[in-house]
Amino acid sequence: MATKTLGEGREIEISARNRIVSGTLHIPPQAQGVVVFAHGSGSGRFSPRNQYVARVLQEGGLATLLIDLLEPEEADDREKVFAIELLAERLQAAADWLRDEPQMQHLRLGYFGASTGAGAALVAAARAPVAVGAVVSRGGRPDLAGAALADVQAPTLLIVGGNDEVVLDLNKQALQLLRCPKELVVIPGATHLFPEPGALEEVARLAKNHFQRYLAPARMEEYAGGRAPRSDMDPSAKVGEGGVVSGRK
């Protein structure tokens, strides 16, 4: 899992109502898009898994913003951990902050969500269909987005470990509720945190390809006038056999 960090990260603070969201922003040369990371329960911006994926995205020409959705005193509050509306609101605050940054204004936005963070990312994407260009969920709980799933327009990639049976079933259910271009990829033999050899590398590769495809500057013209971009993923994707549920046309 050897990767290199492209330059020093910039530590930032974002105001979210009466709270402060801390984050680390990396902008590689000639960035093609920006991805905000939404961590899961019991995790944060220093998660080694999300940091690894972020480095792979940076090497692929994507800026990354890893944030702590909860302040330290909130992180042990189980109600806050599963407060999807609250987490989505803080993701939107991060997106608003990026939109006001001169270096970032021209970049399309994507969300990478893990565990409960995936539910929050999908809610945030549903609330800003023109602003969000792509979503990736790693071992996520998209089901926690509830009714908002039907309003997501951004092409969405769900990645789940084949041995993470409960979460896999929840992702299959959520896939049926998504109306956007969508795909479910199952990593054979992987468990919830993808610690198996090569599993996290495959997650990072899939995420990088998805964001490069849908956040590329060429796609920005398709958002003119509030239109969602064309996609090579099929909104009618079904759950099939063989590990990969492909929604590609």
Side-chain angles (χ1 to χ4, degrees), residues 20-83:
I20 296 297
V21 173
S22 299
T24 306
L25 176 67
H26 277 92
I27 309 174
Q30 300 179 329
Q32 301 296 299
V34 57
V35 178
V36 179
F37 281 65
H39 60 78
S41 57
S43 186
R45 63 189 164 118
F46 298 114
S47 157
R49 291 172 295 279
N50 279 352
Q51 288 198 342
Y52 171 75
V53 174
R55 290 194 297 271
V56 171
L57 298 189
Q58 293 157 22
E59 291 175 2
L62 295 159
T64 62
L65 174 58
L66 284 83
I67 59 177
D68 289 326
L69 292 175
L70 298 174
E71 291 187 322
E73 64 270 21
E74 298 177 302
D76 292 330
D77 185 337
R78 297 300 291 175
E79 289 188 8
K80 292 281 180 68
V81 167
F82 285 90

Side-chain angles (χ1 to χ4, degrees), residues 134-153:
V135 177
V136 173
S137 165
R138 170 184 65 81
R141 291 289 308 277
D143 57 296
L144 295 177
L149 288 170
D151 297 325
V152 176
Q153 294 186 23

Side-chain angles (χ1 to χ4, degrees), residues 33-35 107-111 124-125 128-136 152-157 180-181 210-216 219-220 223 227-231 233:
V34 57
V35 178
L107 299 180
R108 293 294 303 154
L109 171 68
Y111 287 129
V130 174
V132 181
V135 177
V136 173
V152 176
Q153 294 186 23
T156 298
L157 174 63
C180 60
H210 186 76
F211 287 127
Q212 286 177 331
R213 180 179 297 116
Y214 293 108
L215 301 185
R219 295 265 172 172
M220 293 188 68
Y223 281 86
R227 292 183 291 114
R230 295 186 303 273
S231 173
M233 298 171 75

Side-chain angles (χ1 to χ4, degrees), residues 21 26 56 84 93 100-101 129 160 164 178 196 204 220-221 224 226 242:
V21 173
H26 277 92
V56 171
I84 301 303
D100 292 336
E101 282 290 294
V160 187
D164 192 7
L178 286 166
E196 296 76 15
M220 293 188 68
E221 296 181 3

Side-chain angles (χ1 to χ4, degrees), residues 84-138:
I84 301 303
E85 294 286 333
L86 172 66
L87 301 181
E89 181 180 285
R90 293 183 181 179
L91 278 177
Q92 289 179 280
D96 291 343
W97 183 90
L98 287 169
R99 187 180 58 208
D100 292 336
E101 282 290 294
Q103 283 183 285
M104 314 304 292
Q105 290 174 345
H106 67 291
L107 299 180
R108 293 294 303 154
L109 171 68
Y111 287 129
F112 181 94
S115 190
T116 53
L122 287 163
V123 170
R127 292 176 177 173
V130 174
V132 181
V135 177
V136 173
S137 165
R138 170 184 65 81

